Amino acid sequence: MFTCILLAAIAASAFASSCVISFVDAAPKHDPQSTYINYTTVTGYFLQDEASTNASTYSFLDTNFGLINRTYDTDASYDLQRKKTQWQRFGHQVFRLNRDAPHGTQYKVLYMGRHGEGYHNAAESYYGTPAWNCYYSELDGNGSVTWADARLTPKGVNQALIVNAFWASEIENQKIPTPQSYYTSPLTRCLATANLTFGGLKLRQNHPFIPVVKELFREGISGHTCDRRGTKSYIQSAFPSYKIEPGFTETDQLWEAYHGETQVDQDIRSKTVLDDVFSNDLEYTVIMTVVHALDDYYLAITLLITIAYQLFFFSIAYSLKFDKLTDFAGGTNFVWLAIITLAFSGHHHARQIVVSLFIMLWGARLSGFLLFRIIKTGKDDRFDDKRDKFFSFLGFWVFQMIWVWTVSLPVTVLNSPNVTKFNQPDFGTGRDIAGVILFAIGFVLESISDIQKYRFRSNPANKGKVCDIGFFTWTRHPNYFGEIIIQFSIFMIAVSPSAYGYVTGQAYKAQYTTILGPFFLTLLLMFVSGLTLQERPGAKKRYESGNHWESFSRYTKRTSILIPFPPRLYEPLPIILKRTIFLEFPIYVFDPAKHADQTKVREREAEEGNHQGQDGLGSNEGLADGQQ
């Protein structure tokens, strides 16, 4: 069952009403051949449906398209500050009706319009209706004017332009929901009216004005020549941007001279075309066809951009044996994906802007810091065994592609057409505020700890020492913890439209699936390229070399591996809590008896013993000399 609000917005005359479309025994994919659709009107939304409205004096131009100025049950949660327009509140009302509708029921908003004045209308006025119906209507024209498949008169053109200006005003001032789908009759006057009405408007970027020409979208088909459409070739030539439905014949097969269709035939034809539209436009609420900007969730385009971006920098790094751009390419890739998807979305809701800016800020800071660090150090030790091996080196870049694309998912999907087509909750929900706070905490933690560690290691006096200053007194890896918090905070904000019930269906599932991004980054830091490469290997290297091992051992016992926690409270905790709640899993723990190379230890101890012996002999001799 669907509900549709029918709004005519084209030309001088217009009407609006609402209808509920109910499906009975709907087949998979809503096959029109095996689905019965019942259309039922819904009153209380438009003046055109009210018995008190005088059709002879009513003007949609003076009445906000006939939308009744009223409150809705959904206003309390949607328009807390009472700043939304009537159309915005109505759009949210329709959204909630769809969300709460029983299975097989859907509500749709339709903008329906009639063409402006055509030369056939002018001819009927000139000759009079009796003469027109009995004689002139069967001719193609009178030698001066052609009314077969009539064009618009100058008056008709002006009527359409008036409606165009009205649409522009409604979009700017009333925030009226613009159509997600467009359809038009194949008659020239209708094709031209639609083009004049919607041309130049600020429409949804992912739903541009590219109407589908439908053969059956006509009023009653009479034997008058004005009801005979032009050829398919003519329509394609005159309106090249329009899409013509499949099966559209070259010449008009429905029109027949001197014969008009019966009312029964017209009803069957009208219902057939409506069933076709509603069966194939189930996902769209506002109809007037749909063209997606790139792909429904921007997954393909972001993947292609990421692959191309990373391969470009890989070619430089491999050809020149140049390490300085590797991490820079990763961080800046996040920035570009956020900019591109936000620009393509066409909808710049506050939430989209915030999460896009957050991931851009994070990516820019990360890439900038890593570029600065590699310039200072000169090279990246990670690639010493890969730099000259094409496939080994490429493998790292492929993994970086996966990392960038996956972690960007929450922002990518939020900016995508399948999410932006829904109404959005105002920014400032509890999830939004919590997300902003967590992002701020994570960003400060990661950025400051990076600086603290860099400055500590840059000091020659700290060579080989354990970095236990600043945030590192509370966690051994504050930068990792901050990075994880950042990504979960972005997801928390991005998923708000689904969490609050504004986004439904497959888009709802898609948004929640993007939690894969922060989870992937967490798993990466904990089990692939982060803790597993630093904890046990780092401890092993210190133990075997004797490089401040005792101080390092004390540091690991009193400092949480990841989650910030006061050292005095952490140190006495039971091992079971450290291994579970505080995530210090056995794979990170270094046991000298199991993991150290005892040969290296003995060699190091023997070398230290020799040095001590030589130092002791020299001292005694010096003392003796002195005594002497």
Side-chain angles (χ1 to χ4, degrees), residues 443-585:
F443 191 80
V444 168
L445 198 61
E446 183 184 21
S447 56
I448 292 182
S449 61
D450 277 342
I451 295 173
Q452 289 173 339
K453 192 170 187 178
Y454 175 78
R455 294 181 64 182
F456 182 86
R457 288 185 170 177
S458 297
N459 187 346
N462 295 326
K463 184 177 181 181
K465 292 182 179 180
V466 178
C467 181
D468 57 358
I469 63 171
F471 289 135
F472 290 90
T473 60
W474 284 53
T475 166
R476 277 131 62 186
H477 301 280
N479 50 340
Y480 289 172
F481 184 76
E483 191 165 344
I484 292 170
I485 292 298
I486 285 172
Q487 296 308 323
F488 275 101
S489 70
I490 290 174
F491 168 78
M492 179 181 292
I493 300 171
V495 82
S496 289
S498 290
Y500 287 100
Y502 285 73
V503 173
T504 60
Q506 293 299 318
Y508 173 92
K509 297 176 182 178
Q511 278 216 289
Y512 272 103
T513 301
T514 63
I515 199 172
L516 176 66
F519 268 125
F520 179 78
L521 180 131
T522 302
L523 294 174
L524 190 67
L525 292 177
M526 292 187 65
F527 302 110
V528 181
S529 64
L531 300 182
T532 52
L533 296 182
Q534 295 196 35
E535 282 296 312
R536 183 182 290 177
K540 181 176 183 292
K541 185 176 181 179
R542 282 184 179 273
Y543 180 79
E544 292 174 350
S545 64
N547 184 10
H548 295 84
W549 166 249
E550 294 299 329
S551 60
F552 179 79
S553 180
R554 289 194 302 271
Y555 175 68
T556 58
K557 289 178 181 178
R558 71 173 184 267
T559 311
S560 169
I561 187 173
L562 187 64
I563 302 173
F565 204 72
R568 290 184 180 181
L569 299 179
Y570 182 79
E571 187 170 9
L573 287 177
I575 294 297
I576 185 65
L577 293 182
K578 294 182 178 181
R579 297 289 187 270
T580 54
I581 295 176
F582 287 91
L583 308 177
E584 191 163 356
F585 302 132

Side-chain angles (χ1 to χ4, degrees), residues 84 342 345 347-358 414-415 420 424-429 432 436 493-494 496-497:
K84 303 293 185 183
L342 182 64
S345 72
H347 296 261
H348 299 150
H349 190 275
R351 184 172 293 99
Q352 293 176 261
I353 296 173
V354 168
V355 297
S356 297
L357 286 176
F358 276 2
L414 177 66
N415 288 337
T420 58
Q424 305 286 315
D426 287 340
F427 185 79
T429 65
D432 295 330
V436 171
I493 300 171
S496 289

Side-chain angles (χ1 to χ4, degrees), residues 215-233:
E215 182 75 274
L216 299 184
F217 260 145
R218 311 197 205 179
E219 294 178 283
I221 303 175
S222 68
H224 298 181
T225 58
C226 59
D227 290 338
R228 185 185 69 220
R229 69 163 172 84
T231 64
K232 178 180 179 180
S233 300

Side-chain angles (χ1 to χ4, degrees), residues 199-247:
L201 295 177
K202 294 180 180 179
L203 304 172
R204 307 175 193 228
Q205 185 171 341
N206 52 323
H207 298 293
F209 175 64
I210 305 180
V212 173
V213 181
K214 303 285 289 184
E215 182 75 274
L216 299 184
F217 260 145
R218 311 197 205 179
E219 294 178 283
I221 303 175
S222 68
H224 298 181
T225 58
C226 59
D227 290 338
R228 185 185 69 220
R229 69 163 172 84
T231 64
K232 178 180 179 180
S233 300
Y234 158 73
I235 295 174
Q236 290 174 323
S237 175
F239 304 92
S241 64
Y242 288 18
K243 295 177 65 176
I244 298 180
E245 67 176 339

Side-chain angles (χ1 to χ4, degrees), residues 132-149:
W132 170 257
N133 286 335
C134 293
Y135 177 70
Y136 289 102
S137 64
E138 297 173 356
L139 305 177
D140 285 351
N142 62 4
S144 299
V145 174
T146 298
W147 50 71
D149 187 22

Side-chain angles (χ1 to χ4, degrees), residues 406-451:
T406 305
V407 175
S408 294
L409 283 176
V411 177
T412 298
V413 172
L414 177 66
N415 288 337
S416 69
N418 264 12
V419 172
T420 58
K421 71 182 181 182
F422 291 96
N423 289 323
Q424 305 286 315
D426 287 340
F427 185 79
T429 65
R431 295 178 66 90
D432 295 330
I433 295 172
V436 171
I437 293 173
L438 284 176
F439 178 85
I441 293 172
F443 191 80
V444 168
L445 198 61
E446 183 184 21
S447 56
I448 292 182
S449 61
D450 277 342
I451 295 173

